[in-house]
Amino acid sequence: KLQEGDLFNTVRFQRSLTRIYQLGYFSQPKPHVEPSPEDPTKLDITVDVEEQAKNDVRFGGGVSGIEGFFGTFAFQTRNLFGTGNALSVDVQAGSRVETYQLAYTDPFILDRPVTGGFNAFSRSIEYPQFIRKGVGGQFTLGFTLGDFWFAGADYSYEDVKSRARDNSNTPVDPTSQALFTDTRTVSA
């Protein structure tokens, strides 16, 4: 990438423009390269950008054989308060399903090329034989390797509880409850 005060290099300049575009915050950057009025041996570089839409809001609903009737709401921003941080909130609620999720990511922790974030969630679904409830989260940490490489690691945890649908609060093994036997006979 090209830094202020560096000797001008067309390849490094183009790579810097590509990195600006790949942030996803701006439309195609438009560079202006002109000789400096104070020193003709130096160049003044100005890059015009136009901020792209950064927020998404979604509403929806539907019906499913497993989930029943449900409604959804989601909000996501990729540039929270102009900081480059991402925030998303997702809610799905219905007759048999409830899901809540909150996620936050900082792509440059302490102005370093280190990414960190978390995702917290709660999920509940009512199956024909049992009810499954889970609460958990995920932590993410990663760092940039060069211009176009990234390495990261995630740690996820979910506390899942299942109980019988007969309101007896009897714990059940979800794997045994998911096995169904078809006793129908087929006649020719």
Side-chain angles (χ1 to χ4, degrees):
K1 50 192 165 184
L2 193 60
Q3 302 284 338
E4 186 174 351
D6 284 353
L7 188 63
F8 187 78
N9 179 309
T10 307
V11 172
R12 289 174 57 200
F13 179 61
Q14 187 60 44
R15 181 175 284 184
S16 295
L17 291 175
T18 300
R19 287 179 52 106
I20 290 171
Y21 181 68
Q22 287 178 339
L23 288 171
Y25 306 141
F26 310 108
S27 60
Q28 185 69 36
K30 297 177 184 79
H32 303 284
V33 180
E34 301 169 348
S36 173
E38 292 98 35
D39 184 354
T41 63
K42 294 185 178 180
L43 296 174
D44 281 342
I45 301 172
T46 305
V47 179
D48 293 333
V49 294
E50 184 177 320
E51 190 173 12
Q52 290 185 338
K54 59 183 179 179
N55 299 328
D56 297 318
V57 178
R58 294 183 307 275
F59 294 96
V63 63
S64 162
I66 292 178
E67 298 174 346
F69 290 97
F70 62 90
T72 63
F73 167 77
F75 170 78
Q76 179 181 9
T77 182
R78 294 180 313 230
N79 193 9
L80 184 65
F81 306 121
T83 62
N85 299 341
L87 174 73
S88 68
V89 177
D90 292 290
V91 176
Q92 179 178 345
S95 56
R96 288 183 245 169
V97 171
E98 284 186 14
T99 302
Y100 305 97
Q101 182 171 329
L102 175 68
Y104 177 81
T105 304
D106 184 346
F108 288 96
I109 297 174
L110 301 174
D111 291 329
R112 305 239 185 244
V114 176
T115 298
F118 73 89
N119 179 3
F121 55 85
S122 172
R123 301 176 181 139
S124 174
I125 186 165
E126 296 180 16
Y127 291 102
Q129 286 80 18
F130 66 98
I131 298 171
R132 179 200 185 275
K133 293 185 179 190
V135 176
Q138 175 180 359
F139 292 97
T140 302
L141 188 64
F143 55 93
T144 304
L145 302 169
D147 286 339
F148 301 104
W149 292 92
F150 179 82
D154 294 333
Y155 175 77
S156 299
Y157 177 80
E158 183 174 12
D159 182 25
V160 177
K161 294 191 175 19
S162 298
R163 66 175 177 82
R165 293 249 347 196
D166 61 10
N167 293 325
S168 65
N169 285 331
T170 306
V172 295
D173 177 10
T175 57
S176 67
Q177 293 295 317
L179 301 175
F180 299 101
T181 304
D182 186 355
T183 58
R184 295 178 291 179
T185 57
V186 178
S187 58

